[in-house]
Amino acid sequence: MNTKEKILSKAIVLFADKGYSGLSMRMLATAVNMSVASIYHHFPDKDALYLEAVSYAFSGKELIFSQVWESDSTPVEKLGKFVRSLIDVITLDPDFHRLMQREIMEADAERMQLLAQGVFQKQFSLLMQLARELAPELDAHLVATSIIGLVKHYLDNKPLHRHFPGWKPEHEQLEVIAEHITTLLLNGLNIPQVRQ
Amino acid sequence: MNTKEKILSKAIVLFADKGYSGLSMRMLATAVNMSVASIYHHFPDKDALYLEAVSYAFSGKELIFSQVWESDSTPVEKLGKFVRSLIDVITLDPDFHRLMQREIMEADAERMQLLAQGVFQKQFSLLMQLARELAPELDAHLVATSIIGLVKHYLDNKPLHRHFPGWKPEHEQLEVIAEHITTLLLNGLNIPQVRQ
DNA sequence: GTCTATATGGCGATAGAC
DNA sequence: GTCTATCGCCATATAGAC
């Protein structure tokens, strides 16, 4: 890993944690044990550094779901695998996830399009195709959105829900979340289930 | 509306838009046509101002759902009303919603508890009770979370989903969203539906 | 490619007049 | 309760030596 990549990977963590305006070049320089001027040798300005960090965080994320789509499972099995994979991606790389959350909240239309097409589009298309197989009578875009929404909400709001009535530690176990969501979805999509 | 409230309501808008570190006291002062020093007459420091703005944004939000719970509707009707009310609250006060999003992302454990208990707990409890009536065999906490998650995800990610395949303008119509979600949920909760 | 030193300006916050 | 003026610090960014 060269110097530039070293800076970028630290920047991902710190931008994810503090946001664009919350992280100063001084802080980043200290974190990577360099002077501010040295960072400016690699990037023209803070904005370019931020954008490069976001793209860098993307790289490789597309391949994680390949096991879901390439397997010759039934659509119902694929749904279970997708839910589980999405939970894993979000859980295993929390910095990537937080950076995405911030981008979705703060990006302008141009950056949003980059985000949609560069990172998520392929997976969303494949998920829509699965949605069509599972529930041909429903709007595939809305169904795909619902699947992602259910998973993301659980994970995004975990620290909040801990303080809600009825919360149990097991609600944070990934298997419990995954099973609840798939059950809800399979019923919601009108698919008869076989008891395991 | 007195001076303090004038400052707070402007602060809500600007904090929601730019975040804590993204909004400077100078900017806020300009926005409310005052000097920075005058603002410091009403608030001890920026942090206290932010916290007061967050509490101020909360006020009155609890009462919006009363029509849902006080009506003598059936549980199924109540679910529809709740989904619609949640969509309305989020849509009609986007600044409140963005401020909440930022709080959920950035607050520490103490602030998170305040948020959960001070703002959302009562509504969440009532929603859990409804969940128990709708689907006694499922975990009410998880069901309530799912209902909120479906609604919130659609609205939080609207600007992103516009760039996804299969998107249609009608996907942003509140009625379309509300109907899709309730349909999905009623199936998901195993409740037989009557065709309208 | 890295550093020290520095320019320039915005930051949170305060003093003290009116 | 509002203002002007100011403090001390940190921000982004650059110049130029090694």
Side-chain angles (χ1 to χ4, degrees):
Chain A
M1 186 158 62
N2 62 26
T3 308
K4 199 169 172 176
E5 287 173 333
K6 192 181 77 184
I7 297 169
L8 284 175
S9 46
K10 200 74 192 180
I12 289 170
V13 178
L14 294 174
F15 275 131
D17 190 39
K18 299 168 190 302
Y20 180 86
S21 57
L23 172 65
S24 70
M25 299 298 278
R26 280 164 149 85
M27 265 192 246
L28 177 59
T30 305
V32 293
N33 258 315
M34 293 176 86
S35 68
V36 174
S38 300
I39 294 182
Y40 276 95
H41 173 78
H42 297 276
F43 307 92
D45 53 33
K46 188 185 177 181
D47 209 66
L49 167 65
Y50 174 76
L51 292 176
E52 271 207 58
V54 172
S55 336
Y56 188 66
F58 291 170
S59 56
K61 292 296 171 212
E62 285 190 328
L63 298 173
I64 295 178
F65 292 94
S66 53
Q67 46 144 346
V68 179
W69 311 120
E70 284 167 11
S71 65
D72 55 352
S73 319
T74 64
V76 171
E77 286 168 343
K78 278 185 183 171
L79 177 65
K81 282 187 184 177
F82 177 84
V83 167
R84 184 61 216 223
S85 297
L86 184 55
I87 291 177
D88 284 347
V89 166
I90 292 175
T91 307
L92 294 176
D93 196 346
D95 297 317
F96 169 75
H97 179 232
R98 272 179 85 78
L99 205 59
M100 290 306 96
Q101 273 189 282
R102 289 194 187 275
E103 273 291 290
I104 292 170
M105 250 184 39
E106 291 176 10
D108 56 26
E110 193 192 343
R111 286 236 301 275
M112 207 67 90
Q113 195 173 347
L114 270 169
L115 196 65
Q117 291 175 359
V119 194
F120 300 124
Q121 192 177 69
K122 197 174 172 188
Q123 297 308 318
F124 193 85
S125 295
L126 287 164
L127 184 58
M128 273 181 66
Q129 203 172 312
L130 177 60
R132 265 180 233 111
E133 295 169 31
L134 286 168
E137 78 284 7
L138 295 180
D139 183 312
H141 179 95
L142 290 178
V143 172
T145 303
S146 302
I147 295 171
I148 297 167
L150 280 168
V151 175
K152 233 175 132 293
H153 182 77
Y154 277 99
L155 303 175
D156 288 352
N157 297 280
K158 238 163 46 174
L160 181 66
H161 279 94
R162 262 196 275 274
H163 303 283
F164 277 178
W167 179 83
K168 299 172 197 165
E170 71 208 53
H171 289 152
E172 295 195 2
Q173 281 173 32
L174 305 184
E175 292 77 14
V176 174
I177 296 176
E179 205 201 299
H180 171 77
I181 292 176
T182 40
T183 304
L184 201 71
L185 282 167
L186 290 176
N187 283 331
L189 301 173
N190 262 333
I191 295 156
Q193 280 168 89
V194 185
R195 286 223 168 267
Q196 294 177 351
Chain B
M1 188 159 64
N2 62 28
T3 307
K4 198 168 172 177
E5 287 173 333
K6 192 180 77 184
I7 298 169
L8 284 175
S9 45
K10 199 74 192 181
I12 290 170
V13 178
L14 294 174
F15 275 130
D17 190 39
K18 301 168 190 301
Y20 180 86
S21 57
L23 173 66
S24 71
M25 298 298 277
R26 284 165 151 81
M27 266 191 247
L28 176 59
T30 305
V32 293
N33 258 312
M34 293 178 85
S35 69
V36 174
S38 300
I39 294 183
Y40 275 96
H41 174 78
H42 297 277
F43 306 92
D45 54 33
K46 187 184 178 181
D47 209 65
L49 167 65
Y50 174 76
L51 292 176
E52 271 207 59
V54 172
S55 333
Y56 187 66
F58 290 171
S59 55
K61 294 295 170 213
E62 285 190 331
L63 298 174
I64 295 178
F65 292 94
S66 52
Q67 46 145 347
V68 178
W69 311 119
E70 283 166 12
S71 64
D72 55 352
S73 319
T74 64
V76 172
E77 286 167 345
K78 278 185 185 172
L79 177 65
K81 282 186 183 178
F82 177 84
V83 167
R84 183 61 215 223
S85 297
L86 184 54
I87 290 177
D88 284 347
V89 165
I90 292 176
T91 307
L92 294 176
D93 196 346
D95 297 317
F96 170 75
H97 178 231
R98 272 179 84 81
L99 205 58
M100 290 307 97
Q101 273 189 284
R102 288 194 187 275
E103 274 290 290
I104 292 170
M105 252 185 39
E106 292 177 9
D108 56 28
E110 193 193 342
R111 287 237 299 275
M112 208 66 91
Q113 195 172 346
L114 271 169
L115 196 65
Q117 291 174 359
V119 194
F120 301 124
Q121 191 177 68
K122 198 174 171 187
Q123 297 309 317
F124 193 84
S125 295
L126 288 163
L127 184 59
M128 273 180 67
Q129 203 173 313
L130 177 59
R132 267 181 233 110
E133 295 169 32
L134 285 167
E137 76 284 6
L138 296 179
D139 183 312
H141 179 96
L142 290 178
V143 172
T145 304
S146 302
I147 295 170
I148 297 167
L150 281 169
V151 175
K152 233 177 132 293
H153 182 76
Y154 277 99
L155 303 174
D156 287 352
N157 297 280
K158 239 165 42 176
L160 181 65
H161 280 93
R162 262 196 274 273
H163 302 284
F164 276 179
W167 179 84
K168 298 172 196 164
E170 70 209 53
H171 290 151
E172 295 194 1
Q173 280 173 34
L174 305 184
E175 291 78 12
V176 174
I177 297 175
E179 205 201 299
H180 171 78
I181 292 176
T182 41
T183 304
L184 201 71
L185 282 167
L186 290 176
N187 284 332
L189 302 173
N190 263 331
I191 294 157
Q193 279 168 88
V194 184
R195 286 222 171 269
Q196 295 176 349

